[in-house]
Amino acid sequence: MDNRDDVRQEVREFLTTRRARITPDQVGLPTTGSRRVPGLRRSEVAAIAGLSVEYYARLERGHVAGASSGVLEALARALQLDETERAHLFDLARAADGIPTSGRPRRRTATKAASRLSLRWALAAIKDGVAFVRDPQQNLLATNALGRAFYSPVVGDGGRLPNLARFQFLDPTSRDFYPDWDLFAEMCVGIMRAEAGRDPHDRGLQDLVGELSTQSETFRRLWADHNVRTHGAGTKRFHHPVVGELTLAYEELAITAEPGLVLMIYTAEPGSPSAERLRLLASWAAPADVPVRNL
C-alpha cells in the first residue's frame, strides 16, 4: 500500500466514523423505518452538505484530493465536526493533495532540537512547575529538574528515551500513576491521531502505532475510533509514588523554532495541597538539568 492509499484509507475511516455517530434527530431529520447502520445515511449527509450523493460517496471512499475548501467546510458542518476534527479533515485533504505536514517547515531531528542550550536554559528557569519537551511521537525529550522527579515512573533507571504512549499502554505502572487511566488513554490516542493527520508519512509515528496496535488491545480499539483532539490546556490528576495525589493544571506551548515540538508545563493552584506536594517533590529532585536521554 503506497502513501496515497494510506491517506485514502484514513479519510474513508474518518468520514465513516463521523457519519455513524450522528443521529437523524441531531440534524432535524425524521426517523422513519429501520436503519441497517448507525448514524446518517450517505444521502442525508450529501443533502445537508449540498453535495450530490455520487460526489459525497466518492469523498467518503477517500478521494478528497482536489476538494475545495468550500466542500470541506460543508462536510465539516454536515458532520458537526469540532475545531480539532475540522483541522484533521483539512490536514488529510492536504496530504491527499501532496502537501506535507500541513505546509509546515520540515522538522529537524527532534533529539538535536531538544539539546539546544537555550531551550535547556529555558527549562531550567522554570522552578515551581513541571516542564518538559515532547515530540509528535510522544517522546519525552527533555525536562527541568522537577519534571524528572515528577516523571520518575516513566523515565526509570535505564537511561532510555521515554515515550509517553508506550508508558500509557504497555507499562502497568501507568495505571497507578494515572488515576483517570481511561481518560488519559483516550487523550493520548486522540493527540496521536491528530499528529498522524498533520503528517501521515511520519515513519516514526507509523512504527509506534504499529507497535502499540500489536501489543495493546485497548490502543487498537481507540485507534479504530478515529477520534482526534488537541491538548491545549486543562487539569489532570496524578498519583506520584513519592508525594501521592496531585491535581495539576497544564498548558501546551508550541516551540516556534522547532516545528512539531511542544513545551508542556504543569502547575498547581497556589496554596493548594498539590502545590505543597510539588514543593516536596522539588526538594527530592536531582539538581542537574540535562536532557532526559542523558539521565
Side-chain angles (χ1 to χ4, degrees):
M1 181 180 290
D2 63 23
N3 288 333
R4 287 172 298 180
D5 290 335
D6 289 340
V7 173
R8 281 196 291 268
Q9 181 176 334
E10 285 294 319
V11 173
R12 181 168 59 251
E13 293 176 357
F14 180 65
L15 292 180
T16 301
T17 54
R18 298 313 91 179
R19 176 166 63 88
R21 71 180 183 177
I22 302 175
T23 59
D25 62 290
Q26 286 179 286
V27 294
L29 293 175
T31 303
T32 56
S34 62
R35 288 177 175 258
R36 291 178 298 172
V37 294
L40 298 179
R41 299 185 176 102
R42 284 181 175 177
S43 59
E44 292 167 336
V45 174
I48 296 169
L51 306 172
S52 71
V53 177
E54 293 76 13
Y55 185 43
Y56 175 72
R58 177 176 171 78
L59 293 173
E60 196 176 275
R61 287 196 295 271
H63 298 283
V64 297
S68 69
S69 60
V71 166
L72 297 176
E73 289 286 5
L75 265 185
R77 289 193 297 271
L79 294 171
Q80 299 183 5
L81 304 186
D82 62 25
E83 283 301 311
T84 301
E85 292 169 327
R86 175 191 170 279
H88 186 62
L89 175 61
F90 273 76
D91 283 332
L92 292 175
R94 291 187 187 99
D97 285 333
I99 303 173
T101 61
S102 298
R104 296 183 305 189
R106 184 178 296 275
R107 294 169 179 164
R108 293 194 283 167
T109 302
T111 51
K112 292 182 179 178
S115 67
R116 265 192 307 115
L117 283 176
S118 58
L119 183 54
R120 291 169 58 187
W121 295 338
L123 285 170
I126 301 172
K127 303 295 185 183
D128 297 328
V130 172
F132 62 94
V133 176
R134 191 197 71 216
D135 70 6
Q137 293 84 35
Q138 300 295 303
N139 291 314
L140 192 62
L141 298 178
T143 75
N144 64 351
L146 183 53
R148 282 196 308 281
F150 177 75
Y151 273 120
S152 57
V154 184
V155 174
D157 301 320
R160 66 186 184 275
L161 181 64
N163 183 278
L164 294 173
R166 287 192 185 95
F167 177 71
Q168 173 78 49
F169 291 101
L170 304 183
D171 191 331
T173 307
S174 68
R175 292 188 177 270
D176 296 324
F177 191 58
Y178 302 139
D180 304 310
W181 191 92
D182 291 337
L183 175 62
F184 274 48
E186 292 174 4
M187 292 174 67
C188 181
V189 174
I191 292 166
M192 292 174 66
R193 263 290 178 198
E195 288 291 352
R198 278 189 281 273
D199 188 358
H201 313 311
D202 184 327
R203 177 54 60 186
L205 187 55
Q206 290 175 357
D207 290 345
L208 178 62
V209 169
E211 174 189 346
L212 296 178
S213 296
T214 300
Q215 300 188 45
S216 170
E217 187 279 330
T218 301
F219 178 88
R220 190 164 57 249
R221 173 177 54 80
L222 292 174
W223 189 254
D225 289 341
H226 284 263
N227 292 327
V228 293
R229 65 167 290 138
T230 51
H231 215 175
T235 303
K236 292 181 179 180
R237 291 195 309 135
F238 303 89
H239 188 275
H240 195 275
V242 174
V243 297
E245 193 83 11
L246 292 164
T247 300
L248 304 177
Y250 65 88
E251 294 283 343
E252 178 180 286
L253 309 174
I255 300 177
T256 306
E258 310 294 348
L261 301 191
V262 297
L263 170 63
M264 292 291 301
I265 302 176
Y266 289 108
T267 54
E269 180 182 352
S272 67
S274 292
E276 178 58 31
R277 289 167 188 155
L278 267 189
R279 281 193 291 272
L280 290 174
L281 190 58
S283 67
W284 180 77
D289 289 286
V290 293
V292 168
R293 67 180 295 110
N294 291 337
L295 286 174

